[in-house]
Amino acid sequence: MSVNSDVLAAYPARYYATMAKPCAWYDMWQFSTTDGLPAVSSLFAMTKEQWAAKGGDSGTKPMEVINNELVDYVPPVVPVPLKTQAITAQAWIQQQANLTAAMGEVFTADMKSYVKAIAAIANGTDTTSTALPAQPVDVMEASAT
């Protein structure tokens, strides 16, 4: 398939990236018409070296255009809500409770306080905490034997 002269006239570079985060890729020599293609003004023209660095024709390394430069895309950090963290911590608490019961032991006072604090955050009773309390070092009371 030959490249249409309209495509060559509209897109002077062969390779382009969109301005999306992460960007999409275009090899304009693959198109026989400009129908459905984004305007060249909304694209970032890439060099042959940049095209190769993103993985060539088959690679789709996540990248983005920042300050008119093509750079690796770093996804934004999505914060995990405190309530969700507490609910996740309850799974660890349940494991410790199972182990403690299986060994015929009981929780330390620190562990009991931790369980209550996590439960309050998880069930929404505690609305003022901004971080989970630290897990206690000692979970079970020392055995008398």
Side-chain angles (χ1 to χ4, degrees), residues 10-11 16-18 24 26 28 31 34-43:
Y11 301 93
Y16 289 89
T18 65
Y26 288 95
M28 294 307 179
F31 298 98
T34 59
D35 292 346
L37 295 176
V40 70
S41 61
S42 69
L43 299 173

Side-chain angles (χ1 to χ4, degrees), residues 42-64:
S42 69
L43 299 173
F44 174 79
M46 297 171 61
T47 65
K48 187 177 180 181
E49 292 76 23
Q50 288 170 319
W51 184 261
K54 72 93 178 163
D57 291 340
S58 60
T60 56
K61 179 179 179 184
M63 299 183 88
E64 66 181 315

Side-chain angles (χ1 to χ4, degrees), residues 119-131:
I121 295 169
N123 69 25
T125 307
D126 177 352
T127 59
T128 59
S129 291
T130 58

Side-chain angles (χ1 to χ4, degrees), residues 22-135:
C23 54
W25 314 104
Y26 288 95
D27 176 352
M28 294 307 179
W29 287 10
Q30 301 297 313
F31 298 98
S32 58
T33 178
T34 59
D35 292 346
L37 295 176
V40 70
S41 61
S42 69
L43 299 173
F44 174 79
M46 297 171 61
T47 65
K48 187 177 180 181
E49 292 76 23
Q50 288 170 319
W51 184 261
K54 72 93 178 163
D57 291 340
S58 60
T60 56
K61 179 179 179 184
M63 299 183 88
E64 66 181 315
V65 178
I66 297 179
N67 297 327
N68 210 31
E69 288 188 38
L70 192 61
V71 297
D72 290 344
Y73 172 70
V74 178
V77 175
V78 178
V80 178
L82 188 61
K83 183 174 182 170
T84 303
Q85 293 177 42
I87 291 168
T88 301
Q90 286 179 320
W92 178 79
I93 291 169
Q94 186 60 54
Q95 291 172 339
Q96 298 308 307
N98 292 344
L99 180 60
T100 301
M103 296 180 70
E105 302 291 340
V106 295
F107 279 162
T108 62
D110 286 347
M111 184 62 177
K112 289 176 185 176
S113 294
Y114 177 77
V115 171
K116 289 177 183 177
I118 294 297
I121 295 169
N123 69 25
T125 307
D126 177 352
T127 59
T128 59
S129 291
T130 58
L132 295 183
Q135 287 181 346

